[in-house]
Amino acid sequence: MNVLVLNSGSSSLKFQVIATDLDRIREYKDERLCWGEVEGMGGEAIIKFQPRSGPSKTLTAPLRDVGAALDYIVRFIASDRSGVPEIKHTGDFNAVGHRVVHGGEMFQESARIDDKVLKGIEDCIDLAPLHNPNNVKGILAARELFGSDLPQVAVFDTAFHSSIPEQAYLYALPYHLYRRHRIRRYGFHGTSHRYVAFRYRALRGLTREQTNIITLHLGNGCSAAAIRAGRSLDTSMGMTPLEGLVMGTRSGDLDPAIVNFIARKEGLSPSETDTLLNTQSGLLGISGLTNDMRELQSELKEHDDRRVRLAIEIFCYRARKYIGAYLACMDGADAIVFTGGIGENSPDVRARICASMEWAGLHLDAQKNNDAIGREALISAGDSKLLAYAIPTDEELLIARDTVRVILGEPHPS
Ligand code: ADP
């Protein structure tokens, strides 16, 4: 099956085409045929396109919305110019898999999209007003383009965390607020945490039940997950992605009283305060320079800027604090797994996070850690009781696999 995987944002559309089916899944023979991104939808958009083999292409076109963007990329992939011989016309796409940010309490696993599921995703807009509307637009655009007979599947960022128990997902607020408004921890990045947990157990030859790890997804958004017996037991993001670790532009945890305090002192409306916490805080807010960890690290090397150093230190300190908390919550773990742009590519950040953790049995191998950039690797020393791994994430692969399994009626995709 050629599965078109879509991640539909406010002004961007990321896509991949992955050829997979039940046999390929079993034999690990899924093939990524092409991938890319449309940026700047709404005006003159830039389309970056990479076929499996051959050079990448950058194109421009006026694309007013996600419908126009999808139409453009699907026609381009099907054309001779794309270098994707498996797709000769739009009928060669067999299914569409969508990344959907919020599945609320309704979706505990990936779901084939029909009118009821679409309504459910729309019902979650209240919980994810910035994300779910774009996901819905992506689904409607695909339906419009391919017709309603082409199967579409929604894979939710929240679903993996639906196993979190009440004591971890309830906030200590008046209980009726949970009953009335479903205010609780949902967690995000679930597909990424699930993917690296799956790779970890494949690398070690373990079963799901033997998978007891702490996963750290450190990208622009950052989250930690405590995974016990292969299931999410707790995670650092909350009702929204704002809670938890320090991120590129998000504050992560803070005293909730600060929110009103800032609003009052700075004369900001609730939504302006929300924007400040989500887009002007984190690494960017502390450093005053950038949300980009790579830039911060080169700035630190060249100028030893105090606020840049602080930003990196606070980022790593918070991550270490969560590792400690999760070790306590899950009665110890077997491994820490790093993923996401920073987790996969920055030996320095991994070393800072794992520094002085010998008390917990964690001891990094400096050489292995330095060598592990953008690839799967064990990075802890031979005598480390708590193992550490770097594992590049691949959410699109899981979305494509879930799409196939849901369509073919395989229960409980893993
Ligand atoms: P997103 O959450 O948007 O998918 P990514 O997972 O791509 O983001 O992560 C982006 C972050 O990864 C940025 O802060 C970027 O600087 C960082 N990053 C990428 N490569 C490196 C590197 N070699 N060293 C340090 N940080 C890196």
Side-chain angles (χ1 to χ4, degrees):
M1 266 191 193
N2 296 321
V3 182
L4 175 62
V5 176
L6 295 178
N7 181 356
S8 179
S10 60
S11 65
S12 72
L13 177 68
K14 292 188 187 148
F15 60 90
Q16 291 201 1
V17 181
I18 297 178
T20 185
D21 53 42
L22 294 180
D23 288 336
R24 285 183 192 243
I25 292 173
R26 256 190 304 277
E27 292 159 27
Y28 223 96
K29 293 215 167 119
D30 325 69
E31 269 184 280
R32 206 175 311 263
L33 305 182
C34 63
W35 59 98
E37 180 169 9
V38 182
E39 286 169 340
M41 284 177 334
E44 188 69 10
I46 298 169
I47 302 103
K48 293 185 185 143
F49 182 81
Q50 177 69 61
R52 176 183 39 185
S53 49
S56 62
K57 295 182 175 67
T58 302
L59 310 145
T60 56
L63 299 173
R64 67 183 182 285
D65 56 19
V66 62
L70 186 62
D71 191 69
Y72 183 94
I73 56 164
V74 162
R75 284 181 206 293
F76 180 78
I77 294 169
S79 74
D80 293 340
R81 291 185 299 151
S82 71
V84 184
E86 292 83 353
I87 311 251
K88 293 198 176 54
H89 45 83
T90 52
D92 288 334
F93 290 97
N94 305 114
V96 185
H98 294 268
R99 176 184 182 195
V100 177
V101 169
H102 218 306
E105 288 192 322
M106 186 179 309
F107 298 107
Q108 312 207 336
E109 54 191 53
S110 303
R112 182 158 177 169
I113 300 171
D114 55 17
D115 286 343
K116 189 160 156 253
V117 167
L118 189 59
K119 164 86 171 50
I121 298 171
E122 284 169 343
D123 287 345
C124 296
I125 285 179
D126 219 19
L127 294 167
L130 298 179
H131 296 102
N132 272 33
N134 300 316
N135 302 151
V136 169
K137 283 182 193 156
I139 293 168
L140 293 176
R143 207 184 245 190
E144 170 87 21
L145 180 66
F146 292 110
S148 47
D149 285 347
L150 191 81
Q152 298 199 53
V153 171
V155 179
F156 300 92
D157 261 23
T158 46
F160 179 60
H161 300 301
S162 64
S163 50
I164 291 178
E166 246 177 352
Q167 61 174 15
Y169 76 63
L170 279 180
Y171 294 112
L173 292 166
Y175 189 80
H176 68 261
L177 292 176
Y178 167 63
R179 263 206 313 257
R180 269 191 219 159
H181 309 296
R182 297 286 140 199
I183 295 174
R184 52 161 283 182
R185 175 182 313 288
Y186 292 94
F188 300 87
H189 289 147
T191 315
S192 178
H193 290 291
R194 190 177 133 213
Y195 176 78
V196 297
F198 153 68
R199 284 304 304 152
Y200 162 83
R201 64 176 204 258
L203 287 170
R204 294 204 62 202
L206 303 174
T207 63
R208 183 201 302 256
E209 287 66 32
Q210 291 168 327
T211 303
N212 297 304
I213 59 178
I214 297 169
T215 48
L216 293 171
H217 177 107
L218 309 177
N220 249 320
C222 299
S223 66
I227 299 177
R228 192 169 68 185
R231 290 154 64 85
S232 180
L233 186 76
D234 202 351
T235 191
S236 58
M237 283 177 165
M239 183 174 99
T240 79
L242 184 55
E243 193 181 345
L245 302 179
V246 175
M247 314 185 204
T249 60
R250 294 188 191 116
S251 62
D253 293 338
L254 44 75
D255 177 347
I258 293 172
V259 181
N260 262 331
F261 191 84
I262 295 175
R264 206 169 63 244
K265 290 286 186 189
E266 296 282 316
L268 300 179
S269 69
S271 90
E272 287 167 334
T273 314
D274 204 58
T275 303
L276 181 141
L277 296 174
N278 273 292
T279 67
Q280 295 157 35
S281 303
L283 293 174
L284 171 67
I286 302 167
S287 70
L289 200 66
T290 174
N291 62 322
D292 191 302
M293 182 59 92
R294 206 171 358 188
E295 286 176 26
L296 289 174
Q297 291 189 311
S298 62
E299 188 65 23
L300 184 66
K301 236 190 210 152
E302 281 167 34
H303 301 112
D304 195 24
D305 182 272
R306 191 184 83 87
R307 278 176 48 191
V308 166
R309 185 164 6 93
L310 260 183
I312 297 173
E313 279 171 359
I314 294 171
F315 180 93
C316 296
Y317 174 79
R318 182 83 55 88
R320 195 159 65 243
K321 197 159 137 177
Y322 266 90
I323 293 176
Y326 286 169
L327 285 172
C329 296
M330 58 195 289
D331 308 327
D334 298 328
I336 312 287
V337 177
F338 289 92
T339 193
I342 302 171
E344 293 163 21
N345 297 304
S346 178
D348 176 65
V349 168
R350 292 191 301 243
R352 284 172 189 268
I353 291 174
C354 297
S356 310
M357 295 267 291
E358 283 80 11
W359 65 270
L362 176 59
H363 182 196
L364 280 199
D365 180 309
Q367 190 61 47
K368 285 185 190 160
N369 182 38
N370 287 337
D371 290 347
I373 295 179
R375 63 183 181 84
E376 290 182 346
L378 176 69
I379 56 172
S380 49
D383 64 350
S384 190
K385 284 204 189 70
L386 181 56
L387 306 182
Y389 282 84
I391 300 183
T393 194
D394 193 344
E395 293 160 271
E396 290 78 9
L397 181 67
L398 264 201
I399 293 174
R401 288 180 162 203
D402 270 16
T403 300
V404 164
R405 287 184 285 215
V406 167
I407 291 170
L408 299 180
E410 280 252 308
H412 301 301
S414 62

